[in-house]
Amino acid sequence: MKSHSKAVVIGGGVVGCSVLYHLAKAGWTDIMLIERSELTSGSSWHAAGGFHTLNGDPNVAKLQAYTVQLYKEIEEISGQSCSLHLTGGVMMADTPERMDFLRLAHAKGRYLGMDTELITPSEAKAMFPLMDETNFVGAMWDPVEGHLDPSGTTHAYAKAARKLGAEIVLRNRVVELTQEVDGTWNVVTEQGTVKAEHVVNCGGLWAREIGRMVGVELPVLAMEHMYLLTEPMPEVEEFNKSTGREMIGVLDFKGEIYTRQERNGILLGTYEKACKPWSPVNTPWDFGHELLQPDIDRIAPSLEIGFKHFPGIEKAGIKQIINGPFTFALDGNPLVGPVQGLTNFWCACAVMAGFSQGGGVGLALSNWMVHGDPGFDVWGMDVARFGEWATLRYTNAKVRENYSRRFSIRFPNEELPAARPAQTTPLYDTMLANNAVMGDSWGLETPLWFAPRGSEPKDVVSFHRSNDFRPIGEEVRATRERVGITEIANFAKYEVSGPGAEDFLNRLMTNRMPKTGRIVLTPMLNEFGRLIGDFTIAKAGPRGGEERFMIWGSSAAQKYHMRWFEKHLPKDGSIRIHRFDQTLVGLSIAGPKSRDLLQKLVDVDISTKAFRFMDFREMAVGGAPCMVNRITYTGDLGYEIWMAPAYQRLVYKAIKEAGEEFGLVDFGMRALLSMRLEKNFPTWFRELRPIYGPFEGSMNRFIKLEKNDFIGREAAAKEQAEGPKLRRVSFIVDAADADVMGDEPIWAKVGGKDYGTVEKPHGYGAPRFDAGGKEVRGSNAAEGGASAVRGIVDGDWRVVGWVTSGGYAHYVEKSMAQGYVPAALAENESAGLFEIEILGQRRPARINVEPPFDPSGEKMRT
């Protein structure tokens, strides 16, 4: 074993071997993988080996599609077979709600270039005759599903990496990680110490223990997972013989099971409700090629439904029950990327779907390490997406919830209860007393909407407009016509101070920094000119002679942004960044009466001339020391009021009492988001993401190319000079009883013109065949479904873009959406040009360039 390496990958499962291969492929050959035992000694060896491309996050789905395409490549390079079986698969819906879910998934697949199709239960039965189709109302076919040999695939990655120059050291446990002042890592192993520039945690079942070596508690937990293998079945053998094909994979939401052919029998696995964690506190180092004791009674309820839905399996004998541990993060997606607060310590763990996601994870992480950017929108996998509130017990509760719901529908208005409340503001009990329906906002309890007195404060979950629709409308109208108050503690809050703070921020941000007492809005770009932040920045009065700025941003991106800030801090310590989190909380009042209300609570002049739009002041409100911004996300006259938590109840009480004469109402985050739609305001991580440039995001007025050489300036200037290929736009949609939720395809009537914005099908799919072996194409959609046309072209209509977010704009009484379309279409407000697909129905949509509420912005500036 050599004593120095550019990068050390810890862990020899499929993910570790994929990371090693991709780093070597990218040109890093001085790299090493260290494994405590043999390759695949964790979860990889006993995995069911299934793979698919669909994922709730379209950006993760892209990386899953890449993973499936990659297998041919590593087979050719390594000479090692992956035993790839590309059978295709179906998802079965037993209720109208689950069919709506499949319509959403099918629509997402359109703009991703996936060749899915909505089919009937009878068509699904033709490909998997063991089912009783009368239990289902519809299905979705995906040609890019199948299974492989987990061990062979892992060794194919490893052999390919070795051929490219990488080193693999087995039977050598890492026992300690320390870092020198110069950033070099000491990887202490049983066989000696390796000095490395980079360390990658691909520890799998031991990822949590590896993280603890550097003082990080990663939010991962291993769960016991069972699947069974049947004895050979005559029905399977007959199907194979008569069709010359293998049975497809099937996912049954109701039964919480997945099934596919395994040799001449069937493999059936389940994500049962009565799930069981494995080693919830510490993972034993001596665990290896072992299985856990099966517990068929625990999965009996799922098996009972499964045997009813697939009666052909019930008669088969059980040959073996596999029970082994797999690691999960809180939301089921991987933890990938650099860990905030550490230098060159990377994660690629909690990849429970390793044979669907392992290749994409390896590609994204290697890009990140070698080129400084993952090359994809990987927010759904970024290790920075969870905060300090994701403690061991919180993680264990959330992972159990996620596991038990793996095949459950997550409705757009559904809030999950496990581990809540975790964080609360001083107003939590007051909000509950006001009949608030609370939501989880990056671990913080936040009012979503207020139920009428006498009614239960509870969401009726649905893909359609629900019981919150009317109350939210009332909150919006009362705010627009009088005045409303909402809690905004869920914003991110930072203070940047020190000599040269302004120069530091000018280097990071695209807009000029404000003068003292003023505010600016500004994006932040990476080196490639892509949007990685969107902030409100105020210049406060100096403290101790040093410059001081207050910054507000997206709460969910706090660790993501701190990682970037820390990366660019001067080495001399002259600039300090303080993240307040919940040590600074806030309230916002908005509406035409908001100035009159606030004037009653302050002892300074806040008239239009004295306290202008985009002004910042430190002042007492209701007797409490506060910071006040004359700005709100509603796009109306209003104020953001920030205070220490100790003062929040005092300020809220004072506002409520003073607001009685003005008809003050409480409003929640859903009303706030409704009002931002009326102003065409974007949101971070929906409209503004690292795959878009600032001019694509229509952020032109905040990009000051002439001000200085800020990060990403050269790329932004090139985008402006060449013209953006895409543009963010706002639509008014002729919706029925359901509004857009995000990720819906945007159709345009453009004839044969190809604007090149939709990825073409990846071409690595399997055709669909009936029971007689005949290829099936262009069949009718499932009952009540969408058009029978598959793919992204329908006559003169083409999928040209995608929805990023939307909903109902209550004050202007319009269903609205935001999304990205080709720049050439971005200002075409013609009727009949666009349609947006909502729950399988293509609804007419029209671009509105100017916001429907107060297009001139007079109300904000009054």
Side-chain angles (χ1 to χ4, degrees), residues 461-542:
V461 295
S462 175
F463 290 117
H464 301 261
R465 294 173 186 165
S466 190
N467 63 321
D468 64 346
F469 186 79
R470 181 171 294 178
I472 291 173
E474 292 173 354
E475 293 172 20
V476 169
R477 285 185 289 274
T479 300
R480 289 281 194 230
E481 295 168 3
R482 303 191 303 274
V483 59
I485 179 172
T486 192
E487 194 171 18
I488 52 173
N490 60 329
F491 287 22
K493 293 87 59 176
Y494 314 87
E495 182 184 72
V496 176
S497 61
E502 183 164 343
D503 290 340
F504 171 73
L505 289 174
N506 264 321
R507 171 69 177 148
L508 262 61
M509 305 296 172
T510 66
N511 205 347
R512 295 184 182 89
M513 289 303 99
K515 296 179 180 179
T516 301
R518 292 290 289 165
I519 297 168
V520 297
L521 305 178
T522 178
M524 183 169 71
L525 307 180
N526 62 17
E527 297 97 327
F528 306 96
R530 297 292 161 174
L531 290 161
I532 60 169
D534 181 42
F535 300 100
T536 300
I537 299 182
K539 187 172 185 180

Side-chain angles (χ1 to χ4, degrees), residues 5 19 153 190 200 250 372 561-562:
S5 182
V19 170
T153 300
E190 294 171 332
V200 187
V250 179
H561 285 143
M562 282 298 294

Side-chain angles (χ1 to χ4, degrees), residues 441-454:
S441 176
W442 210 60
L444 176 70
E445 295 296 312
T446 300
L448 298 177
W449 61 284
F450 293 83
R453 291 290 179 184

Side-chain angles (χ1 to χ4, degrees), residues 640-844:
E640 294 175 350
I641 307 168
W642 303 96
M643 71 290 295
Y647 297 109
Q648 191 185 29
R649 292 175 69 91
L650 172 64
V651 176
Y652 178 77
K653 183 174 182 289
I655 291 173
K656 290 287 284 187
E657 290 176 352
E660 285 187 13
E661 69 174 275
F662 303 109
L664 176 71
V665 298
D666 287 283
F667 68 93
M669 290 306 297
R670 290 181 184 168
L672 181 63
L673 292 175
S674 173
M675 286 185 274
R676 70 95 186 177
L677 286 174
E678 300 173 338
K679 290 294 293 180
N680 293 358
F681 288 166
T683 58
W684 179 242
F685 284 130
R686 295 302 303 180
E687 284 73 45
L688 309 179
R689 297 186 72 135
I691 54 175
Y692 306 124
F695 297 100
E696 288 181 326
S698 300
M699 304 295 282
N700 308 39
R701 67 184 184 277
F702 307 118
I703 314 300
K704 308 300 183 185
L705 293 172
E706 71 284 358
K707 76 179 181 78
N708 69 297
D709 187 24
F710 57 85
I711 295 172
R713 180 188 175 280
E714 185 176 338
K718 183 179 179 182
E719 180 192 354
Q720 184 191 49
E722 296 179 353
K725 295 179 180 178
L726 302 173
R727 281 277 304 280
R728 173 178 65 88
V729 295
S730 182
F731 289 95
I732 293 174
V733 187
D734 181 15
D737 67 336
D739 304 295
V740 301
M741 290 159 267
D743 300 324
E744 293 89 351
I746 300 170
W747 294 78
K749 192 173 185 180
V750 294
K753 189 168 184 179
D754 184 359
Y755 286 91
T757 60
V758 178
E759 298 176 18
K760 299 298 181 284
H762 30 66
Y764 193 54
R768 184 165 62 79
F769 298 88
D770 64 18
K774 181 180 178 182
E775 183 175 355
V776 178
R777 286 287 178 182
S779 60
N780 288 330
E783 292 90 327
S787 162
V789 176
R790 300 165 64 234
I792 60 174
V793 179
D794 177 8
D796 288 338
W797 290 86
R798 289 175 179 262
V799 173
V800 297
W802 52 92
V803 170
T804 50
S805 71
Y808 195 78
H810 285 270
Y811 193 69
V812 299
E813 297 183 335
K814 297 181 185 302
S815 184
M816 298 190 67
Q818 290 192 35
Y820 281 83
V821 300
L825 297 175
E827 296 187 6
N828 192 329
E829 296 183 287
S830 302
L833 176 61
F834 292 101
E835 292 179 345
I836 294 177
E837 189 170 341
I838 302 176
L839 296 178
Q841 291 187 331
R842 282 159 52 182
R843 308 293 304 183

